[in-house]
Amino acid sequence: MALLKVKFNQKKRVKLAQGLWLMNWFSVFAGILVFSMGLFLKIELRKRSEVMDNSESHFVPNSLILMGILSCAFNGFAGKICYDSLDPAKFAKWKPLLKPYLALCFLFNILLFFVALICFLMRGSLESTLAQGLKNGMKFYRDTDTPGRCFMKKTIDMLQIEFKCCGNSGYKDWFEIQWISNRYLDFSSKEVKDRIKSNVDGRYLVDGVPFSCCNPSSPRPCIQYQVTNNSAHYSYDYQTEELNLWRRGCREALLHYYSSMMSSMGAVVLLVWLFEMSVMVGLRLLHTSLESITNPEDPECESEGWVLENNLKDTFKSALENLKKIGKFNQVQADTEGAEGEEGGKTPAITTVS
């Protein structure tokens, strides 16, 4: 029994073709939207590429861009088919292409659904990318005289100001690295010497943070240095008092920013996928209703359209049988080629008559 079997007359077929033509052009605009989202996300990720460890995060925007281009191409082509289906003479040239085209549409929709899921599932990969990238970026914060790293200080400072964050996972991350350049250290000072000697790696570590970690909304002047020294500041306890530094780490801030953006894009792609599925079902109904016309000379006669010629179970079995046949055919071909090779390799016997 056919799945979603519908009876059509001439009027219904025309309405279906016109409706699908309109829906396909809406889908073209949806494809442009998906393409634009991918381009926007790619630009946003490139802005922070210096604090990202690798390019794995660009898989999502690249996929969105590709899906947007394919959506425009597929739906533009389908719109042309729907328009020509109103004229039997014009539609005749598309008949051989419709089945392969619908198969490609099915694969495209599977990929589109996969991309929508990836938008929701990329959080873990993005988190590890940001964690390592921010860690490296903070190490290079002091290298203002090193080619290729001289802009890292500005990048980190602007990042912390814009996203209201401090450090990788928190402000204490700055205590574990030397973020002050050696050119600004007085090596004749006893304090500097003692700090460098007290560190195994010979680094100058302080319980301070860059100015960009300061929260301008705090009524108290920014406590940037000696953050953990209560005696260095009047009426101050760093363990109990609300510090005037940003509490949130930049990894969390960036992860929230990008993951919320990707989740929103994933929801949009999912809606586009549902719309594309409805267009594909409608195109299949139009295709089968036009093919099942019993009398081509009478275009006003009734016909039947369906999505699947058999039910899901029978269709699945038929698909498996076809795959098995293809596998057996390939195996027979391989065996035949092997036998021919063996026969060609044999040397014919030569009989001499004396």
Side-chain angles (χ1 to χ4, degrees), residues 133-262:
L134 283 166
K135 186 178 179 181
N136 293 334
M138 289 171 65
K139 284 180 182 178
F140 303 145
Y141 183 89
R142 63 173 180 165
D143 297 337
T144 51
D145 297 327
T146 307
R149 300 177 186 172
C150 52
F151 294 108
M152 188 56 73
K153 178 186 179 299
K154 181 183 176 181
T155 300
I156 296 292
D157 283 333
M158 293 302 294
L159 178 70
Q160 293 188 145
I161 292 169
E162 182 181 351
F163 285 90
K164 299 179 180 180
C165 59
C166 184
N168 191 338
S169 55
Y171 70 92
K172 289 186 178 180
D173 293 334
W174 289 107
F175 300 172
E176 301 171 4
I177 62 170
Q178 181 181 337
W179 55 272
I180 301 173
S181 177
N182 287 337
R183 68 182 293 189
Y184 302 115
L185 295 176
D186 182 8
F187 287 95
S188 62
S189 168
K190 184 177 182 302
E191 181 190 352
V192 173
K193 287 179 180 178
D194 290 344
R195 281 191 179 274
I196 292 174
K197 285 179 182 178
S198 64
N199 186 263
V200 178
D201 299 325
R203 294 179 297 170
Y204 181 75
L205 304 182
V206 292
D207 57 342
V209 296
F211 78 96
S212 52
C213 283
C214 296
N215 182 357
S217 302
S218 174
R220 181 168 190 156
C222 183
I223 297 175
Q224 182 183 353
Y225 295 104
Q226 297 185 356
V227 176
T228 58
N229 187 357
N230 292 334
S231 60
H233 312 284
Y234 177 72
S235 183
Y236 174 74
D237 186 352
Y238 83 96
Q239 291 182 331
T240 59
E241 186 176 343
E242 185 70 25
L243 297 179
N244 51 5
L245 304 175
W246 299 119
R247 288 282 189 175
R248 188 168 62 163
C250 289
R251 178 180 57 187
E252 182 188 345
L254 283 171
L255 186 63
H256 175 73
Y257 175 71
Y258 284 119
S259 60
S260 61
M261 187 187 297
M262 287 184 184

Side-chain angles (χ1 to χ4, degrees), residues 327-338:
K328 286 179 181 178
F329 179 72
N330 290 335
Q331 188 177 358
V332 169
Q333 273 193 329
D335 292 342
T336 305
E337 287 174 3

Side-chain angles (χ1 to χ4, degrees), residues 6-249:
V6 183
K7 282 190 175 182
F8 288 91
N9 55 29
Q10 172 68 3
K11 190 177 178 180
K12 285 184 178 179
R13 285 194 295 268
V14 169
K15 282 186 177 180
L16 179 61
Q18 290 173 339
L20 284 172
W21 178 83
L22 189 62
M23 288 176 72
N24 273 295
W25 285 110
F26 275 125
S27 295
V28 170
F29 290 118
I32 294 170
L33 176 63
V34 172
F35 175 84
S36 302
M37 289 192 305
L39 196 62
F40 175 75
L41 181 58
K42 194 171 185 68
I43 292 168
E44 286 296 306
L45 288 170
R46 283 197 178 277
K47 284 182 183 178
R48 322 288 172 203
S49 59
E50 293 178 338
V51 292
M52 291 186 177
D53 184 46
N54 54 48
S55 58
E56 285 180 11
S57 53
H58 287 274
F59 176 74
V60 174
N62 290 340
S63 300
L64 289 172
I65 289 169
L66 178 63
M67 288 295 106
I69 293 170
L70 289 177
S71 178
C72 291
F74 275 105
N75 289 292
F77 183 69
K80 175 64 176 170
I81 293 174
C82 293
Y83 182 79
D84 285 350
S85 66
L86 298 172
D87 184 352
K90 290 182 179 179
F91 180 72
K93 65 181 180 182
W94 298 116
K95 275 188 176 182
L97 299 174
L98 270 172
K99 279 189 178 179
Y101 173 74
L102 285 167
L104 287 174
C105 283
F106 182 71
L107 291 174
F108 167 74
N109 280 295
I110 290 174
L111 288 174
L112 192 63
F113 182 73
F114 176 73
V115 170
L117 288 182
I118 288 296
C119 289
F120 294 107
L121 301 175
M122 277 296 288
R123 182 183 174 91
S125 175
L126 188 62
E127 185 174 9
S128 60
T129 296
L130 286 169
Q132 191 59 42
L134 283 166
K135 186 178 179 181
N136 293 334
M138 289 171 65
K139 284 180 182 178
F140 303 145
Y141 183 89
R142 63 173 180 165
D143 297 337
T144 51
D145 297 327
T146 307
R149 300 177 186 172
C150 52
F151 294 108
M152 188 56 73
K153 178 186 179 299
K154 181 183 176 181
T155 300
I156 296 292
D157 283 333
M158 293 302 294
L159 178 70
Q160 293 188 145
I161 292 169
E162 182 181 351
F163 285 90
K164 299 179 180 180
C165 59
C166 184
N168 191 338
S169 55
Y171 70 92
K172 289 186 178 180
D173 293 334
W174 289 107
F175 300 172
E176 301 171 4
I177 62 170
Q178 181 181 337
W179 55 272
I180 301 173
S181 177
N182 287 337
R183 68 182 293 189
Y184 302 115
L185 295 176
D186 182 8
F187 287 95
S188 62
S189 168
K190 184 177 182 302
E191 181 190 352
V192 173
K193 287 179 180 178
D194 290 344
R195 281 191 179 274
I196 292 174
K197 285 179 182 178
S198 64
N199 186 263
V200 178
D201 299 325
R203 294 179 297 170
Y204 181 75
L205 304 182
V206 292
D207 57 342
V209 296
F211 78 96
S212 52
C213 283
C214 296
N215 182 357
S217 302
S218 174
R220 181 168 190 156
C222 183
I223 297 175
Q224 182 183 353
Y225 295 104
Q226 297 185 356
V227 176
T228 58
N229 187 357
N230 292 334
S231 60
H233 312 284
Y234 177 72
S235 183
Y236 174 74
D237 186 352
Y238 83 96
Q239 291 182 331
T240 59
E241 186 176 343
E242 185 70 25
L243 297 179
N244 51 5
L245 304 175
W246 299 119
R247 288 282 189 175
R248 188 168 62 163

Side-chain angles (χ1 to χ4, degrees), residues 290-352:
L290 288 169
E291 277 201 334
S292 62
I293 292 175
T294 53
N295 185 10
E297 294 179 359
D298 181 17
E300 294 185 3
C301 68
E302 288 191 349
S303 63
E304 290 183 341
W306 57 84
V307 176
L308 294 175
E309 196 169 354
N310 300 310
N311 57 36
L312 286 171
K313 186 178 179 182
D314 292 338
T315 304
F316 184 69
K317 283 182 179 178
S318 177
L320 282 178
E321 286 174 4
N322 289 333
L323 286 173
K324 286 178 181 177
K325 284 178 182 176
I326 292 169
K328 286 179 181 178
F329 179 72
N330 290 335
Q331 188 177 358
V332 169
Q333 273 193 329
D335 292 342
T336 305
E337 287 174 3
E340 287 177 356
E342 286 178 5
E343 288 176 4
K346 289 179 181 177
T347 305
I350 301 171
T351 308
T352 58

